[in-house]
Amino acid sequence: MNIGIIGCGAISGQYMIGFSKCKENLNVLACADQDYEKSNSFAKEHKILSLSVEDLLLHSEIDIVVNLTPPSSHFDISYKSLRNGKHVFSEKPVALSTDQGKKLLNQMKLNNLYLYSAPDTFLGPAFIKAKDLVFSEKIGEIIGGSVSFATHGVEGWHPNPEFYYKKGGGPLYDMGPYYLTALIKILGPVVEVISFSQKTFGNRQVDNPNIKYNNIEVDVDTHYIALLKFQSGVVVDFQISFDIWKPYDPKLEFYGKISSIKFADPNNYDGEISIFNKEKYEWENVYSPPNKDNNYYRGLGVIQMIKDISENNVNKNDLLIPFHVLEVMNAIDSYDQEGKWSILEQQF
Ligand SMILES: NC(=O)c1ccc[n+]([C@@H]2O[C@H](COP(=O)([O-])OP(=O)(O)OC[C@H]3O[C@@H](n4cnc5c(N)ncnc54)[C@H](O)[C@@H]3O)[C@@H](O)[C@H]2O)c1
């Protein structure tokens, strides 16, 4: 299948590395970016066509648009792609509002197309292994879980950090999809949330001399603590923050009637897994990546999508997960803070 990439920024090169590992039925034909210079240099580096966004969306030979634009453009690019008869793989979040999510799903069904969305890290070996362990006899019935992700934001490393502090950014919409997707894949749908959030810093200082601006006005909340209640009755505490100076290791843990399990960071494709050993009364490593260098790159989800479509094996329930993640993030973000549980409408 022929791919057209829209958005030739920081993450696009990682996708190309991932694609280069797939030898079957995947050909990156063209790229586009609203910044023509970026598109031209990406095209030159990877020996592909550089087109305008409009021309790429109309190109008759492109089957899948890989949408690597910032969150505020995800809906627009994905919607136009579906309307033009292209399948879509979108970076996360899949859209910003539930309404946009519904429009994407309707357009997908109307044109008999598929929209997959990041994250795709659950396709990596660590999540597959951990999921098998959860559903084995080793952990027992899950009674709880805990998530935390904390850094002091992205301005220290990202070449264009502004969008992380605008609508669709912030830790919830940027990192939330990794953790929420993992939780939902293990525990099923979320039915209620309670949440508290704040914007601790109104401005972010950018010290990188290669970036044209040195100050970002923060429009979104950047520190969240929520409780998520799943259909199964399990309640998970969920902390996600760009405001914590001393970052700690990302945490994704599940507590069962028999034991507890620490997952690898779902922001990565591979990593360590531990189970609590009751006899020794300590965490015991049960899985380490065979290759210490990260051998996995973005793009696994696109490769899986091509395989699923080619084999007529698309899982219709999985297609809804990014939309349910969006619904949960919106519920966390818009929580009324009156101390009541916010009941989800379960639209996806
Ligand atoms: N950088 C990372 O480490 C990383 C990791 C995982 C996922 N992501 C996700 O990937 C997406 C892109 O992130 P990035 O870091 O590459 O950002 P970036 O700012 O480096 O690149 C985005 C590119 O999209 C272009 N663009 C913006 N709006 C456009 C539009 N309407 N039409 C065409 N082009 C447009 C910009 O000119 C830019 O070149 C985001 O959703 C982000 O959350 C990024």
Side-chain angles (χ1 to χ4, degrees):
M1 285 194 175
N2 285 328
I3 287 175
I5 293 177
I6 303 186
C8 305
I11 202 65
S12 53
Q14 288 274 315
Y15 272 82
M16 291 305 282
I17 297 173
F19 293 157
S20 70
K21 291 168 188 276
C22 173
K23 303 287 171 237
E24 286 164 49
N25 202 8
L26 186 159
N27 174 42
V28 182
L29 190 77
C31 66
D33 195 294
Q34 65 183 17
D35 179 337
Y36 292 115
E37 272 180 33
K38 277 188 167 177
S39 173
N40 289 341
S41 82
F42 189 78
K44 199 169 165 202
E45 182 185 349
H46 298 287
K47 300 186 178 56
I48 56 177
L49 288 172
S50 174
L51 301 172
S52 69
V53 173
E54 290 67 29
D55 286 349
L56 190 151
L57 289 170
L58 287 171
H59 199 293
S60 61
E61 285 170 46
I62 287 175
D63 306 295
I64 302 178
V65 169
V66 175
N67 182 358
L68 306 183
T69 60
S72 59
S73 298
H74 286 176
F75 169 74
D76 191 43
I77 296 288
S78 296
Y79 189 64
K80 284 180 180 158
S81 306
L82 292 169
R83 283 185 62 146
N84 286 3
K86 320 281 182 217
H87 300 292
V88 175
F89 183 90
S90 170
E91 254 304 337
K92 44 71 193 173
V94 66
L96 299 189
S97 69
T98 305
D99 247 21
Q100 289 180 342
K102 284 184 180 166
K103 281 187 183 150
L104 289 172
L105 273 177
N106 284 343
Q107 197 58 46
M108 188 178 88
K109 285 180 195 151
L110 206 63
N111 286 8
N112 207 14
L113 293 161
Y114 295 113
L115 186 160
Y116 279 37
S117 176
D120 57 0
T121 43
F122 60 84
L123 296 168
F127 187 82
I128 292 170
K129 173 80 182 163
K131 190 175 174 209
D132 284 350
L133 286 165
V134 165
F135 294 115
S136 74
E137 296 302 301
K138 291 192 165 61
I139 309 300
E141 186 191 336
I142 302 290
I143 58 143
S146 181
V147 163
S148 61
F149 171 86
T151 67
H152 208 277
V154 299
E155 59 276 23
W157 60 271
H158 195 277
N160 181 28
E162 193 171 28
F163 74 82
Y164 286 90
Y165 297 102
K166 302 295 172 191
K167 190 161 169 49
L172 179 63
Y173 289 88
D174 179 46
M175 296 306 290
Y178 295 104
Y179 294 86
L180 290 168
T181 303
L183 288 171
I184 290 164
K185 283 202 165 274
I186 300 295
L187 297 173
V190 178
V191 288
E192 295 180 43
V193 305
I194 192 166
S195 162
F196 297 91
S197 62
Q198 66 187 50
K199 174 172 66 178
T200 310
F201 305 96
N203 286 281
R204 295 278 172 155
Q205 199 64 37
V206 181
D207 295 328
N208 183 342
N210 298 321
I211 298 177
K212 289 187 191 123
Y213 44 86
N214 52 22
N215 182 54
I216 304 171
E217 200 174 318
V218 180
D219 290 350
V220 293
D221 283 354
T222 44
H223 182 73
Y224 291 82
I225 299 183
L227 292 176
L228 313 177
K229 190 172 184 181
F230 289 78
Q231 204 162 48
S232 61
V234 171
V235 176
V236 171
D237 66 275
F238 179 91
Q239 170 163 280
I240 197 150
S241 179
F242 277 176
D243 293 350
I244 293 181
W245 274 116
K246 190 172 188 312
Y248 40 82
D249 285 345
K251 180 171 77 168
L252 171 61
E253 293 177 359
F254 293 95
Y255 312 121
K257 284 187 175 169
I258 296 175
S259 191
S260 302
I261 181 166
K262 273 183 199 290
F263 273 45
D265 179 2
N267 179 32
N268 295 325
Y269 294 91
D270 214 356
E272 312 271 330
I273 304 169
S274 304
I275 290 182
F276 192 71
N277 182 320
K278 286 179 287 187
E279 284 70 41
K280 294 186 187 158
Y281 213 74
E282 61 188 28
W283 287 101
E284 197 165 73
N285 176 280
V286 291
Y287 172 81
S288 295
N291 183 346
K292 290 286 174 207
D293 304 321
N294 185 358
N295 214 8
Y296 294 88
Y297 296 89
R298 311 279 157 181
L300 222 50
V302 182
I303 294 167
Q304 184 67 42
M305 179 181 185
I306 291 174
K307 188 167 181 289
D308 292 346
I309 294 173
S310 311
E311 294 173 0
N312 200 13
N313 194 27
V314 174
N315 182 322
K316 301 278 162 39
N317 290 333
D318 284 355
L319 285 177
L320 297 181
I321 290 180
F323 297 96
H324 183 53
V325 166
L326 173 65
E327 188 180 22
V328 176
M329 293 190 299
N330 287 345
I332 292 172
D333 200 33
S334 63
Y335 179 73
D336 64 9
Q337 305 215 351
E338 285 174 5
K340 289 191 228 109
W341 285 87
S342 165
I343 297 172
L344 261 78
E345 288 178 33
Q346 298 296 322
Q347 303 195 64
F348 303 109

